[in-house]
Amino acid sequence: MIANILLAIGLVCIIEGLVYALAPSLVEDLLEALRNLSLEMRRTFGLLVVVLGVCIVLAARALGAL
């Protein structure tokens, strides 16, 4: 279980690092777009991303990952 958590955190770090390394100006544009959203819209977006993440993990496990 701990190994899976560490793997997930490592993969998130790799992806986040690639985004900042390859497209830093796009990150700034995204942050500006997020600033223009209301708090409620940001909260809803965050919850949708969490649900999407859970669905992806469940699909990967159903396909035999981990």
Side-chain angles (χ1 to χ4, degrees):
M1 179 70 174
I2 296 293
N4 289 342
I5 293 171
L6 290 175
L7 175 65
I9 292 171
L11 290 172
V12 168
C13 289
I14 290 169
I15 292 169
E16 287 287 327
L18 283 173
V19 170
Y20 283 108
L22 299 176
S25 62
L26 291 177
V27 173
E28 289 181 11
D29 294 343
L30 176 62
L31 290 174
E32 184 63 35
L34 285 172
R35 269 189 222 106
N36 293 330
L37 291 177
S38 68
L39 287 176
E40 188 61 34
M41 288 296 294
R42 282 186 254 171
R43 187 170 288 121
T44 302
F45 179 72
L47 289 172
L48 287 173
V49 171
V50 168
V51 169
L52 177 65
V54 169
C55 290
I56 290 171
V57 168
L58 291 174
R61 290 191 64 121
L63 293 171
L66 303 178

